[in-house]
């Protein structure tokens, strides 16, 4: 056996897809947020739901979210290959083919929508189907490569899960579920723009029209501050609605003070300051944004649990 054939066999073995590679197609980190916010929407709903049906609902919502991730990776394989933070994804890494990702994404999309409808109701299933369509077609195929407002409009895709969870329990949409949608929707732009500030070269190389690329980092800093102010108003105001309460209000006030402070720090900085400390403030703001959303929805979940237990009665 020649050295060339040995090396070819070694490369084939190294690139052979494992279960973890197929699971990575589903974007498990994003799926965590989808599952948690959908779970909060499900339990915050005023109507009860059988635990097994609730489990099935969350499972199918998670699968639908994973299907969106697989289809996103299928379409974005070309730009994932040139962006530093995505080069190790299964398709650009040569672990999974584009055709495999497409087949998995389509199969899981159909499976999740149909079985969510059968397990709960067709309103929830319809919302899940629309979410998958919005993320894959409206955001991934259209907005992402066309407009710097990609993450603003496209953020709606990540904001639907609590509405789906609520609909799975109630069979409909309400002001409360729309408020949870709005909370995630307004959170998405400053979250991703902070990431774009210290990952701008990735978007430059991939020719993705993020705000940092089309309008510059100064404009992006201004936008982060404006959206953070609007988000803070919405988040605190939600505490005085039926999904809020004392625990949520305290959580919202503390976190939004910290979030506003971080946004102001980013707004005051110029590129020389950011380059000097490797975008330390921007990275801290991005990490805080992850805690921000989980803490707000965690507070909504606690309030709902205490309400159903009769503590606030």
């Amino acid at each position: 056996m020649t050295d060339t054939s040995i090396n070819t066999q070694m490369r084939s073995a190294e690139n052979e897809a494992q279960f973890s590679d197929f699971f990575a197609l589903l974007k498990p980190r994003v799926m965590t947020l989808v599952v948690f916010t959908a779970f909060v929407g499900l339990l915050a709903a005023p109507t009860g739901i059988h635990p097994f049906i609730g489990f099935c609902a969350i499972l199918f919502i998670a699968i639908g979210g994973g299907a969106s991730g697989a289809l996103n990776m299928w379409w974005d394989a070309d730009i994932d290959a040139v962006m530093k933070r995505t080069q190790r994804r299964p398709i650009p890494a040569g672990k999974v083919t584009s055709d495999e990702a497409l087949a998995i994404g389509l199969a899981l999309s159909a499976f999740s929508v149909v079985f969510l409808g059968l397990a709960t109701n067709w309103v929830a299933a319809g919302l899940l189907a629309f979410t998958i369509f919005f993320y894959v077609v409206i955001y991934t195929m259209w907005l992402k490569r066309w407009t710097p407002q990609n993450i603003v409009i496209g953020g709606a895709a990540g904001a639907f899960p609590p509405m789906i969870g609520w609909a799975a329990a109630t069979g409909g949409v309400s002001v409360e579920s729309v408020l949870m949608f709005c909370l995630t929707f307004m959170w998405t732009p400053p979250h991703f723009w902070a990431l774009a500030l210290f990952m701008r070269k990735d978007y430059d190389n991939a020719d993705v029209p993020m705000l940092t690329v089309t309008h510059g980092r100064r404009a992006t800093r201004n936008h982060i501050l404006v959206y953070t102010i609007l988000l803070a108003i919405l988040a605190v105001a939600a505490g005085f609605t039926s999904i809020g309460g004392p625990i949520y209000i305290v959580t919202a006030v503390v976190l939004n003070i910290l979030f506003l402070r971080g946004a102001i720090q980013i707004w005051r900085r110029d590129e020389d300051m950011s380059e000097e400390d490797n975008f330390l403030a921007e990275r801290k703001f991005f990490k805080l944004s992850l805690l921000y959303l989980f803490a707000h929805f965690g507070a909504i979940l606690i309030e709902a649990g205490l309400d159903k237990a009769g503590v606030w009665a």
Side-chain angles (χ1 to χ4, degrees):
M1 185 177 291
T2 65
D3 291 341
T4 301
S5 62
I6 293 174
N7 290 335
T8 301
Q9 288 185 357
M10 289 178 64
R11 284 196 299 270
S12 298
E14 288 174 355
N15 286 332
E16 185 177 351
Q18 305 294 323
F19 174 78
S20 59
D21 297 313
F22 290 109
F23 184 66
L25 277 177
L26 310 184
K27 292 190 175 182
R29 290 184 180 179
V30 177
M31 193 190 299
T32 301
L33 178 61
V34 168
V35 168
F36 182 63
T37 57
F39 179 71
V40 173
L42 184 80
L43 293 191
T47 57
I49 187 170
H50 190 280
F52 179 71
I53 296 177
F55 169 79
C56 290
I58 297 302
L59 175 63
F60 298 137
I61 293 170
I63 292 173
S68 299
L71 292 172
N72 171 269
M73 288 197 192
W74 159 70
W75 186 263
D76 278 350
D78 58 331
I79 62 176
D80 282 348
V82 299
M83 293 178 67
K84 183 178 179 181
R85 73 181 182 89
T86 58
Q87 285 176 342
R88 294 184 180 181
R89 285 179 173 176
I91 298 177
K95 300 291 186 179
V96 178
T97 67
S98 293
D99 288 343
E100 288 172 331
L102 175 61
I104 290 171
L106 291 175
L108 292 182
S109 294
F111 175 84
S112 62
V113 170
V114 171
F115 278 87
L116 180 62
L118 293 173
T120 59
N121 58 76
W122 294 105
V123 173
L127 283 172
L128 178 59
F130 180 75
T131 301
I132 295 171
F133 170 81
F134 193 97
Y135 183 70
V136 176
V137 178
I138 303 299
Y139 170 67
T140 302
M141 295 183 177
W142 178 33
L143 295 173
K144 186 173 183 178
R145 306 189 190 211
W146 177 65
T147 172
Q149 294 300 308
N150 47 20
I151 206 63
V152 178
I153 306 170
F160 278 114
M163 291 184 70
I164 303 171
W166 184 282
T170 67
V173 175
S174 69
V175 173
E176 293 87 351
S177 66
V178 172
L179 278 171
M180 288 187 281
F181 169 92
C182 291
L183 185 62
T184 309
F185 181 77
M186 291 300 298
W187 163 86
T188 303
H191 166 73
F192 276 101
W193 283 332
L195 173 67
L197 282 173
F198 59 85
M199 298 294 292
R200 178 181 171 178
K201 290 182 179 179
D202 265 9
Y203 294 108
D204 280 332
N205 294 337
D207 198 28
V208 175
M210 287 293 284
L211 193 64
T212 49
V213 177
T214 61
H215 290 69
R217 290 179 178 172
R218 179 70 264 161
T220 303
R221 296 175 189 278
N222 295 339
H223 277 70
I224 288 175
L225 179 59
V226 171
Y227 270 82
T228 301
I229 292 172
L230 296 175
L231 173 62
I233 295 171
L234 171 67
V236 174
F240 298 94
T241 68
S242 59
I243 63 172
I247 293 175
Y248 175 88
I249 292 173
V250 170
T251 301
V253 169
V254 171
L255 279 173
N256 281 282
I257 289 174
L258 294 175
F259 214 47
L260 280 169
R261 185 179 70 176
I264 292 171
Q265 288 177 344
I266 290 176
W267 177 70
R268 286 177 173 173
R269 287 158 65 87
D270 57 28
E271 293 316 297
D272 290 337
M273 296 171 63
S274 297
E275 294 285 354
E276 186 176 344
D277 62 9
N278 193 26
F279 296 91
L280 181 61
E282 292 80 0
R283 293 176 188 274
K284 286 183 176 179
F285 183 86
F286 177 75
K287 291 180 180 178
L288 176 61
S289 71
L290 296 173
L291 171 63
Y292 179 98
L293 197 65
F294 276 100
H296 277 77
F297 274 88
I300 293 173
L301 182 62
I302 293 172
E303 293 285 0
L306 292 175
D307 183 62
K308 291 181 178 179
V311 174
W312 298 142

